[in-house]
Amino acid sequence: MIIAVDFDGTLCVDCYPAIGSANHKLIRILRKRQETGDKLILWTCRAGEKLEEAVEWCREQGLLFDAINDNLPEMIDLWGSNSRKITADIYLDDKAETPWEMVLDKAV
C-alpha cells in the first residue's frame, strides 16, 4: 500500500509555522507499516525551509519517506508521467472527514 500522510495536524499538533508535539501513536504505526512493505509519502503544504525542517523532524522521529510531495518513482514509471496529483491508496490528513485511526483500521 502507498500511504500519503500530512504533516501539520496529522504527524504533529498543528501550530504552523512551528512544529507541534509528535503524534507518537501514528508515527509508530507508520514505521511498522513501512517495515512490512508499505510505502510512505509525506504530503504537506510546507515548502522550502519549512519543508526541510519537517523532513528533518520526521527523520529524528525515525520516520523516513519514500517520496516527499511527489509520486513514488515506480508510479511515475508505471504511468509514464508525474502527475501533480499524488497517487496513494490511503490519504491521512487532519482535514479528512474520517479520522486516521479509522482509515488505517480498515486498511489492515
Side-chain angles (χ1 to χ4, degrees):
M1 291 201 139
I2 301 170
I3 303 171
V5 59
D6 179 39
F7 186 73
D8 296 289
T10 306
L11 288 173
C12 65
V13 172
D14 187 0
C15 60
Y16 183 86
I19 296 176
S21 59
N23 182 342
H24 294 290
K25 181 178 179 182
L26 177 57
I27 292 168
R28 211 171 24 256
I29 290 168
L30 291 174
R31 286 195 319 243
K32 286 183 187 222
R33 300 243 355 195
Q34 196 171 36
E35 288 172 7
T36 62
D38 288 345
K39 303 285 185 166
L40 302 179
I41 299 173
L42 180 60
W43 179 48
T44 178
C45 291
R46 284 180 179 247
E49 186 178 312
K50 295 298 176 195
L51 176 59
E52 291 173 25
E53 290 171 1
V55 171
E56 179 57 31
W57 181 90
C58 288
R59 190 175 296 117
E60 291 169 3
Q61 307 301 313
L63 194 56
L64 305 174
F65 294 94
D66 299 288
I68 299 169
N69 284 340
D70 201 1
N71 286 295
L72 297 174
E74 56 265 36
M75 296 310 294
I76 296 168
D77 290 343
L78 175 68
W79 297 111
S81 66
N82 190 5
S83 168
R84 289 182 0 166
K85 183 176 180 180
I86 300 298
T87 300
D89 300 299
I90 299 171
Y91 299 87
L92 304 178
D93 192 301
D94 60 310
K95 305 292 191 243
E97 188 173 311
T98 306
W100 66 264
E101 294 92 343
M102 293 178 67
V103 173
L104 287 177
D105 283 346
K106 291 179 187 177
V108 175

